[in-house]
């Protein structure tokens, strides 16, 4: 398959490396002003992995638009802006696959909803979600992930084409639940980091139990399957988010409580604001998410929360 990847951060670069490794024709796009892109262009490597010579790099969006599958792996709050930028290319009959987790903080909308709103109806949309860290994948540690879409053909195509010895893909059957679960697990990751900062990491068991339960309530009231919260998108991703030293959200939560700066993207910071919108809209009890929001946005101490 001819695959274009928009985003040259750790995930976008890994996806390029992985899909090249599984035999696809891969091009990675990054802005000419991007530090990550210029690092890749100069050395064909970042701090985690090295790209094969067969993986192409471009700073011209037009080159990505000729691909049959366009994978997007950028910060969730930049997605709508990107889709508006792509409108000038009048893309039709493409498959957009979102390998990113989050909600639009101003509206609470899911990422697939944003793509649907901002692109031609002929385009199909899928999500690629689940556990795993680039650092571990690159060193041969396998994991399970999930692909979901409203379109069964697209789902089957991507699972078949993307599967390899490193990643086994499962077929999702609840797009709403998988997207909400994947976004919300980053909020739980921030809470886990707060527990680490307060030296009460033993409470992570309770956090995992109650966190998954409240997200299942949110998914259910929104019209999804509450059991999705216990699948790969959410509970299945807890090890990588709640415990791992590679988790950006866990580290952000820990350093925030300690009063230290963190300069990497922690999607949970934006997601929890969107979740508070959903809490009011659907009148659902979300005490863990509310506690995280109170610490990040309302100045409440982590101990009190």
């Amino acid at each position: 398959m001819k695959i274009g990847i928009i985003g040259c951060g750790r995930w976008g670069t890994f996806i390029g490396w992985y899909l090249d490794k599984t035999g696809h024709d891969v091009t990675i796009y990054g802005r000419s002003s991007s530090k990550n892109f210029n690092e890749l262009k100069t050395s064909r490597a970042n701090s985690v992995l090295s790209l094969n010579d067969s993986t192409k790099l471009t700073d011209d969006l037009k080159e990505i638009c000729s691909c049959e599958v366009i994978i997007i792996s950028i910060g969730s709050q930049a997605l709508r802006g990107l889709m508006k930028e792509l409108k000038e290319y009048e893309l039709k009959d493409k498959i957009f696959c979102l390998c990113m987790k989050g909600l639009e903080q101003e509206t609470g909308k899911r990422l697939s909803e944003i793509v649907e709103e901002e692109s031609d109806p002929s385009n199909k949309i899928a999500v690629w979600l689940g556990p795993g860290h680039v650092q571990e994948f690159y060193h041969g540690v396998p994991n399970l992930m999930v692909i979901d879409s409203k379109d069964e053909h697209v789902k089957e195509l991507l699972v078949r084409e993307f599967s390899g010895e490193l990643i086994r893909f499962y077929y999702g059957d609840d797009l709403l639940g998988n997207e909400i679960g994947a976004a919300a697990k980053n909020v739980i990751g921030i809470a886990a980091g707060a527990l680490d900062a307060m030296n009460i990491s033993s409470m992570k068991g309770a956090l995992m139990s109650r966190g998954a339960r409240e997200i299942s309530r949110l998914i259910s009231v929104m019209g999804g399957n509450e059991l999705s919260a216990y699948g790969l998108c959410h509970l299945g991703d807890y090890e990588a988010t709640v415990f791992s030293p590679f988790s950006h959200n866990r580290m952000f939560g820990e350093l925030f409580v300690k009063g230290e700066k963190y300069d990497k993207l922690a999607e949970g910071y934006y997601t929890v604001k969107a979740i508070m919108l959903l809490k009011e809209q659907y009148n659902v009890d979300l005490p863990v998410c509310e506690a995280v929001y109170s610490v990040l946005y309302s100045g409440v101490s982590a101990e009190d929360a």
Side-chain angles (χ1 to χ4, degrees):
M1 298 181 77
K2 189 174 183 181
I3 299 173
I5 299 166
I6 298 178
C8 54
R10 59 173 186 165
W11 267 108
T13 305
F14 164 73
I15 294 164
W17 173 85
Y18 171 76
L19 292 178
D20 176 271
K21 185 181 174 69
T22 53
H24 298 288
D25 179 357
V26 177
T27 302
I28 301 175
Y29 165 83
R31 299 187 188 278
S32 58
S33 59
S34 163
K35 178 182 177 182
N36 290 333
F37 178 76
N38 286 302
E39 181 181 18
L40 288 176
K41 191 175 180 180
T42 301
S43 63
R44 297 194 62 80
N46 58 24
S47 61
V48 179
L49 58 78
S50 298
L51 291 172
N52 298 325
D53 291 339
S54 51
T55 302
K56 297 178 283 295
L57 298 170
T58 183
D59 59 3
D60 185 356
L61 263 181
K62 191 173 182 180
E63 291 189 40
I64 297 297
C65 296
S66 65
C67 297
E68 54 189 306
V69 176
I70 299 174
I71 296 175
I72 303 178
S73 183
I74 62 175
S76 62
Q77 305 311 308
L79 180 60
R80 192 178 293 276
L82 170 68
M83 295 309 301
K84 289 184 182 296
E85 189 176 350
L86 288 172
K87 280 186 176 180
E88 70 173 276
Y89 299 99
E90 299 181 344
L91 299 178
K92 295 181 179 179
D93 300 311
K94 302 292 185 182
I95 297 174
F96 285 102
C97 182
L98 305 177
C99 193
M100 48 196 291
K101 302 165 183 176
L103 299 169
E104 191 172 47
Q105 65 173 344
E106 293 89 355
T107 65
K109 288 186 175 180
R110 294 177 288 116
L111 303 185
S112 69
E113 291 180 297
I114 295 171
V115 176
E116 191 170 27
E117 289 176 1
E118 301 290 349
S119 70
D120 189 84
S122 67
N123 296 312
K124 307 299 183 184
I125 306 164
V127 297
W128 167 347
L129 306 167
H133 284 293
V134 171
Q135 295 90 332
E136 293 168 338
F137 280 133
Y138 187 63
H139 289 98
V141 180
N143 219 318
L144 312 177
M145 303 188 84
V146 61
I147 288 175
D148 209 343
S149 174
K150 291 180 180 179
D151 189 292
E152 291 297 322
H153 171 72
V154 166
K155 192 189 310 183
E156 292 172 5
L157 175 68
L158 296 185
V159 168
R160 181 176 70 247
E161 294 291 337
F162 289 1
S163 292
E165 292 184 358
L166 194 59
I167 303 176
R168 176 178 176 175
F169 287 96
Y170 278 70
Y171 296 90
D173 60 3
D174 178 23
L175 182 61
L176 183 152
N178 278 316
E179 285 192 271
I180 294 295
K185 68 95 188 178
N186 287 327
V187 179
I188 304 301
I190 291 176
L195 295 179
D196 288 335
M198 294 184 287
N199 296 313
I200 48 175
S201 304
S202 60
M203 287 188 68
K204 286 183 181 180
L207 173 67
M208 292 164 64
S209 174
R210 302 315 307 163
R213 184 68 189 100
E214 74 175 59
I215 300 308
S216 76
R217 287 196 299 267
L218 177 60
I219 291 171
S220 179
V221 76
M222 291 181 68
N225 184 345
E226 67 176 25
L227 294 180
S228 293
Y230 303 97
L232 291 170
C233 73
H234 190 75
L235 182 61
D237 206 352
Y238 272 15
E239 190 280 333
T241 305
V242 173
F243 297 98
S244 175
F246 301 129
S247 170
H248 284 186
N249 289 280
R250 191 210 61 77
M251 182 58 73
F252 170 79
E254 180 176 351
L255 294 183
F256 187 93
V257 171
K258 289 180 176 179
E260 300 175 25
K261 290 184 178 180
Y262 187 65
D263 60 0
K264 294 184 174 64
L265 176 65
E267 285 283 9
Y269 177 81
Y270 306 102
T271 298
V272 74
K273 194 171 183 179
I275 286 180
M276 289 300 100
L277 294 179
L278 298 178
K279 168 185 162 60
E280 295 303 318
Q281 181 179 350
Y282 291 97
N283 191 29
V284 59
D285 189 28
L286 304 172
V288 175
C289 293
E290 193 168 2
V292 171
Y293 179 85
S294 71
V295 172
L296 299 184
Y297 289 95
S298 302
V300 176
S301 73
E303 290 83 358
D304 288 345

